């Protein structure tokens, strides 16, 4: 299955969990809690408020990676990114900031893989948010103390 098939399939609409594709086109599902949805909003609002450059926050941002389509819980893309890519679905290049919010079903290995995949697709930073709201920031050099992108 490809991403266009996923988003156009009426049986896969309005599900209470996030869908991604692995590298073989198989659907992966992750249940989302209301707490998870709240953290998505709060992180998106924090990014929007903190960014000095113009751009947009995207919830559930689909990105084509070498391991299939991954869906960042929150992403921030500059106006320059939108001028180049618009709302293509899924994005072939990652927006500047990609955020994953940990769920009980996520493993550390899964998050490490997503960090690598988003950075390989051009993200400047990947944020991993714990269930209690703590944030770990990563760029191509590894873990960093704070977001450098948020200051731009």
């Amino acid at each position: 299955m490809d991403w266009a098939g996923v988003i156009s399939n009426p049986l896969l609409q309005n599900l209470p969990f996030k869908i991604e594709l692995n590298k073989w086109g198989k659907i992966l599902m992750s249940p989302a809690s209301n707490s998870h949805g709240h953290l998505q909003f709060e992180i998106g609002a924090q990014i929007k408020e903190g960014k000095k450059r113009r751009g947009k926050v995207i919830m559930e941002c689909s990105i084509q990676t070498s391991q299939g389509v991954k869906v960042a819980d929150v992403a921030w893309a500059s106006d320059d990114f939108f001028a180049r890519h618009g709302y293509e679905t899924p994005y072939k290049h990652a927006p500047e900031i990609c955020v994953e919010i940990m769920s009980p079903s996520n493993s550390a290995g899964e998050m490490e893989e997503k960090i690598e995949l988003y950075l390989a697709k051009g993200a400047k930073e990947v944020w991993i948010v714990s269930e209690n709201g703590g944030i770990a920031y990563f760029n191509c050099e590894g873990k960093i103390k704070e977001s450098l992108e948020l200051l731009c």
Side-chain angles (χ1 to χ4, degrees):
M1 179 169 267
D2 66 7
W3 197 246
V6 169
I7 61 174
S8 66
N9 187 321
L11 298 174
L12 300 175
Q13 305 303 309
N14 302 315
L15 297 173
F17 41 80
K18 180 166 77 171
I19 294 176
E20 296 179 327
L21 292 179
N22 69 14
K23 64 182 175 183
W24 297 284
K26 292 184 180 177
I27 294 174
L28 306 172
M29 297 180 239
S30 299
S33 67
N34 290 333
S35 172
H36 190 275
H38 174 74
L39 278 172
Q40 280 181 290
F41 174 82
E42 291 298 327
I43 295 297
Q46 178 183 338
I47 292 171
K48 186 167 181 66
E49 186 175 304
K51 284 300 285 178
K52 293 177 179 27
R53 277 193 305 164
R54 292 177 42 97
K56 294 179 176 71
V57 172
I58 306 167
M59 303 291 184
E60 304 291 328
C61 181
S62 60
I63 302 161
Q64 180 67 54
T65 74
S66 62
Q67 298 298 310
V69 175
K70 302 301 177 194
V71 179
D73 290 308
V74 181
W76 180 85
S78 66
D79 285 350
D80 291 340
F81 180 92
F82 276 101
R84 290 189 313 274
H85 305 288
Y87 285 103
E88 79 182 4
T89 304
Y91 284 121
K92 292 173 182 59
H93 300 278
E96 288 92 333
I97 299 174
C98 295
V99 181
E100 284 291 335
I101 299 170
M102 293 288 291
S103 297
S105 63
N106 295 132
S107 69
E110 180 183 0
M111 291 297 105
E112 289 169 12
E113 179 180 66
K114 285 187 173 187
I115 292 167
E116 291 174 18
L117 291 171
Y118 294 148
L119 292 171
K121 293 306 282 186
K124 302 284 188 224
E125 287 184 359
V126 179
W127 300 6
I128 304 297
V129 181
S130 67
E131 291 180 273
N132 67 3
I135 304 175
Y137 306 96
F138 300 85
N139 66 15
C140 61
E141 296 176 8
K143 189 172 183 179
I144 54 178
K145 183 178 177 182
E146 61 185 354
S147 171
L148 304 175
E149 270 301 300
L150 200 56
L151 302 174
C152 296

